[in-house]
């Protein structure tokens, strides 16, 4: 039996997933690693930048879930993986990969990590980070113009045409699979504390065998 456990953090774009995950990662250090589902976006390196910029990145088919699932199974078996790295500013994978060694807890994070039945079936604890859509849009405009090399116009067009409808069709309905829902995203200090305590408990359970 594997002594590695997967904890999944899903939620809408700019709900605060990555912020929460960074805090948890810093807290647990050597016992936990983070695997961002975004790193498993399909690379689309057979088409040019302008074409890649127009693709829909908010539906399940945008991700290489076969590779994601295969890599998670390897980690559960105690094997290392070479995790791809995604570059949002180029809409493709970077040339480099990161060698990841399994730890007691594998934290997987992304808008659709609760969508795929195969991924759910190997996940121990399922979390959904909730935040109002106007708050998420406001954060996304600020983040994507600063950190993902986007214009305000492109963020708004993408939001109306893809992010919002795909959220309503795929992301929001996946909330029903969650064991824990954290409202108000990264602002919810109590909710994050409860999640940390739960992960600590999972680690201690494994230590006790
Ligand atoms: P996600 O990974 O769910 O898309 P992020 O953690 O990247 O969300 O958060 C989106 C943006 O909002 C980031 O720029 C982040 O710094 C900011 N942010 C996250 N949580 C809060 C918060 N509670 N208050 C203000 N800004 C926040
Ligand atoms: O961090 P966050 O959950 O917001 O990351 C997922 C978002 O990244 C998706 O909503 C998708 O629209 C966006 N994305 C993008 N361009 C890409 C890949 C993903 O805008 N090339
Ligand atoms: Mg994120």
């Amino acid at each position: 039996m594997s002594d590695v456990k997967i904890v999944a953090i899903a939620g809408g774009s700019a709900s605060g997933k990555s912020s929460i995950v960074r805090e948890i990662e810093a807290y647990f250090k050597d016992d936990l690693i983070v695997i961002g589902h975004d790193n498993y976006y399909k690379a689309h390196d057979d088409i040019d930048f302008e074409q890649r910029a127009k693709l829909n990145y908010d539906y399940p088919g945008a991700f290489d879930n076969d590779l994601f699932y295969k890599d998670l199974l390897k980690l559960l078996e105690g094997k290392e993986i070479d995790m791809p790295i995604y570059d949002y500013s180029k809409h493709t994978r970077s040339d480099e990969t990161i060698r990841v060694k399994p730890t007691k807890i594998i934290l997987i994070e992304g808008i659709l990590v609760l969508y795929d039945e195969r991924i759910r079936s190997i996940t121990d604890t399922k979390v959904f980070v909730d935040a109002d859509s106007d708050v998420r849009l406001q954060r996304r405009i600020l983040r994507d113009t600063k950190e993902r090399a986007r214009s305000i116009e492109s963020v708004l067009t993408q939001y109306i045409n893809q992010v919002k409808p795909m959220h309503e069709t795929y992301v929001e309905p996946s909330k029903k699979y969650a064991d824990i829902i954290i409202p108000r995203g990264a602002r919810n200090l109590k909710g994050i504390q409860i999640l940390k305590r739960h992960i600590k408990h999972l680690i201690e359970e494994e230590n006790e065998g």
Side-chain angles (χ1 to χ4, degrees), residues 17-18 38 88 109 143 148:
K17 302 180 295 297
S18 301
D38 293 10
Y88 301 95
E109 182 240 326
R143 182 196 64 192
R148 295 190 182 178

Side-chain angles (χ1 to χ4, degrees), residues 12-19 22 109 139 143 147 184 186-187:
S13 175
S15 58
K17 302 180 295 297
S18 301
S19 307
R22 268 194 298 275
E109 182 240 326
R139 287 182 190 159
R143 182 196 64 192
E147 296 171 19
R184 305 185 305 284
R187 233 185 252 288

Side-chain angles (χ1 to χ4, degrees), residues 37-46 52 55 57 59-66 86 91-93:
H37 197 200
D38 293 10
N39 288 316
Y40 291 81
Y41 269 117
K42 289 175 183 165
H44 296 291
D45 44 15
D46 52 330
R52 289 200 301 272
L55 295 176
Y57 291 103
Y59 82 113
F63 296 88
D64 183 350
N65 268 347
D66 289 343
Y86 196 71
H91 301 283
T92 191
R93 281 186 199 160

